[in-house]
Amino acid sequence: MTGDDVPEPEWARRKRLAEVFGDVLPDTTNDEREPEAPRQESSAEEWLRAQVPPHHG
């Protein structure tokens, strides 16, 4: 509630909470979305993976 005891509209409450906490849950789940294209590794990621010793799998 606001300072003058007027009930806060639901949309205003959601907006205020989103500003503080951000979006906690996505609007859709993975099974509702189109599959994403496989992510391309950058050259830096490739290099890092190449540096991992074999015994660290």
Side-chain angles (χ1 to χ4, degrees):
M1 290 212 163
T2 58
D4 48 48
D5 294 329
V6 176
E8 182 178 31
E10 184 64 22
W11 67 267
R13 179 181 162 276
R14 287 183 187 202
K15 181 180 178 192
R16 181 175 50 84
L17 291 174
E19 288 173 357
V20 174
F21 298 107
D23 289 334
V24 177
L25 298 174
D27 291 333
T28 59
T29 59
N30 285 341
D31 61 333
E32 295 174 316
R33 291 183 228 134
E34 293 295 322
E36 295 180 8
R39 198 174 72 101
Q40 297 286 331
E41 282 191 348
S42 70
S43 60
E45 289 172 332
E46 261 180 55
W47 181 86
L48 283 172
R49 289 191 192 279
Q51 303 309 309
V52 175
H55 63 279
H56 285 276

